[in-house]
């Protein structure tokens, strides 16, 4: 219910919807086929003043919140999930600077991202460290006033489209996750190569690449915060960014349901529209209800982050896990409602299902979100009870009743 949103968020919604209708829908299918980057959409987003809105005003942004970001991402994702993430990943890439950078670093890196002149990406995952982000192996060694980076990153979204990369490296391998540091790297730096592009099931217009660092030297001033603060920086970043993935999922789900309702209202079988069958009515009713619940969770998590309320980790994870599971369910059901046509690329619907799948995986697989939520609940229980063993109240055991012999 957009009327309940602040005026500013409603304004972002309208402008993003306009970009989605005029710049995203016309190219979504073609970019899915070619894998080309949506540069024309980035241009349209710049014209609509929507790039980098989450960046504080003093660094060239609009000082908008995570709620506004989620609203733009949802609108874009209704039309194309790939384009939704190509936009949202700039927030994921720049939050580490907002969260952990000095004023000078913010002055240097944020304004070009805020204007959309440069794109930015987030380099945390590696081949052998995905969910277990703390075990990453990319190494950065201090050498005078430089860091020398060696290692490889995996699953870098916006890989070859970005100009700046937030790269998490180990500066003290003996300290595990406490030895991780966040370092900014610019495209074109000697020793930094963009590697293989992954062939993906969905979000095909977004280039996802490996990154390779071979004695890549960057100025020591590119270190965000202090050495060893990188893991915390990554976690705080993901807390802010996960509602964006959830918003992408809500957009995909809503976009797919809108198509399914339209298709089933036009499709005639047994002398009536497929939508008029009660089985279809009940199905769309349940799906629409789930989407609305997911949207409210996303908005609540985003507003809690914007309000600076502590302990938003759990709510970001809940929004992500719920909305992305809803997206997978809704898009799969939408394909089913299209029948055979749903399985065929002539229609837009199968793309929604392919695009939705990744939302359950990236920025922390849903299993990890459940772990985060579970740990938060355990901590809350520990606070309430004073120790970590959760007490379970149960009824006193009933006295064993005498067994009645069979046939008695
Ligand atoms: N905020 C701040 N600090 C946090 C935190 C949070 N939300 N969560 C954990 N920490 C801190 C802890 O307090 C702890 O601090 P100390 O060292 O002072 O004790 C430290 O981090 C380690 O915490 P844990 O023991 O909980 O860490 P863990 O090793 O058990 O891992 C995890 C926790 C939640 C599983 C984490 O590793 C995680 O989130 N994994 C998933 C990573 C992920 O989302 N990757 C996706 C990358 S982006 C992508 O997909 C590609 C793309 O481009 C879109």
């Amino acid at each position: 219910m957009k009327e309940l949103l602040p005026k500013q968020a409603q304004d972002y919604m309208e402008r993003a919807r306009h970009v989605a209708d005029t710049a995203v829908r016309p190219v979504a299918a073609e970019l899915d086929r070619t894998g080309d980057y949506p540069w024309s959409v980035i241009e349209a987003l710049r014209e609509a003043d929507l790039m980098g809105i989450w960046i504080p005003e003093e660094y060239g942004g609009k000082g908008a919140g995570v709620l506004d970001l989620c609203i733009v991402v949802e609108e874009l994702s209704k039309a194309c999930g790939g384009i939704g993430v190509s936009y949202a990943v700039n927030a994921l890439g720049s939050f580490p600077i907002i969260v952990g950078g000095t004023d000078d670093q913010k002055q240097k890196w944020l304004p070009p991202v805020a204007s959309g002149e440069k794109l930015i990406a987030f380099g945390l995952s590696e081949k052998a460290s995905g969910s277990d982000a703390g075990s990453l192996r990319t190494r950065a060694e201090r050498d005078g006033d430089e860091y020398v980076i060696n290692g490889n990153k995996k699953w870098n979204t916006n890989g070859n489209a970005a100009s700046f990369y937030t790269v998490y490296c180990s500066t003290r391998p003996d300290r595990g996750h406490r030895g991780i540091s966040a370092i900014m790297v610019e495209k074109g730096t000697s020793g930094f190569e963009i590697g293989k592009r992954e062939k993906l099931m969905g979000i095909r217009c977004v280039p996802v690449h490996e990154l390779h660092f071979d004695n890549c030297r960057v100025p020591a001033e590119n270190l965000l915060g202090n050495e060893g603060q990188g893991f915390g920086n990554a976690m705080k970043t993901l807390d802010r960014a996960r509602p964006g993935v959830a918003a992408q999922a809500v957009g995909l789900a809503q976009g797919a349901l809108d198509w399914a309702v339209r298709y089933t209202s036009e499709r005639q079988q047994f002398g009536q529209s497929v939508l008029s069958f009660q089985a279809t009515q009940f199905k769309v009713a349940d799906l629409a209800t789930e989407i609305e619940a997911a949207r409210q969770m996303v908005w609540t998590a985003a507003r809690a982050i914007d309000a600076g309320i502590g302990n938003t980790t759990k709510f970001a994870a809940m929004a992500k896990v719920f909305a992305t599971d809803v997206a997978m369910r809704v898009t799969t059901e939408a394909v089913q409602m299209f029948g055979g046509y749903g399985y065929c690329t002539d229609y837009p619907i199968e793309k929604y299902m392919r695009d939705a799948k990744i939302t359950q995986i990236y920025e922390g697989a849903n299993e990890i979100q459940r772990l985060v939520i579970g740990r938060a609940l355990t901590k809350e229980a520990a606070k309430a009870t004073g120790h970590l063993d959760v007490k379970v109240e149960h009824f006193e055991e009933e006295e064993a009743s005498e067994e009645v012999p069979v046939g008695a």
Side-chain angles (χ1 to χ4, degrees), residues 314-327:
K314 181 178 80 176
F315 294 102
M318 284 175 166
K320 201 263 184 192
V321 78
F322 187 78
T324 60
D325 284 354
V326 164

Side-chain angles (χ1 to χ4, degrees), residues 131 155 157 177-178 231 235 239 242 313 362-364 375:
S131 293
W155 314 122
T157 309
H177 71 264
R178 290 183 180 155
F231 192 75
M235 293 299 110
D239 284 347
R242 282 173 180 155
T313 302
Y362 61 19
E363 288 191 37
R375 283 183 180 180

Side-chain angles (χ1 to χ4, degrees), residues 275-290:
L275 184 61
S276 64
F277 286 103
Q278 199 176 43
T280 315
Q281 290 273 314
F282 282 7
K283 189 178 277 184
V284 296
D286 283 345
L287 299 180
T289 306
E290 287 188 43

Side-chain angles (χ1 to χ4, degrees), residues 169-221:
C169 308
S170 177
T171 40
R172 284 282 304 272
D174 56 314
R175 300 201 68 203
H177 71 264
R178 290 183 180 155
I180 293 174
S181 305
I183 300 179
M184 298 306 302
V185 181
E186 270 185 80
K187 186 187 256 168
T189 307
S190 170
F192 170 38
E193 297 286 335
I194 313 281
K196 177 187 136 196
R197 178 173 177 167
E198 310 294 346
K199 294 193 177 80
L200 303 178
M201 173 195 281
I203 59 160
R204 287 189 175 156
C205 65
V206 189
V208 175
H209 282 263
E210 293 180 352
L211 306 180
H212 304 303
F213 301 91
D214 182 12
N215 286 322
C216 170
R217 286 179 173 272
V218 298
E221 68 206 27

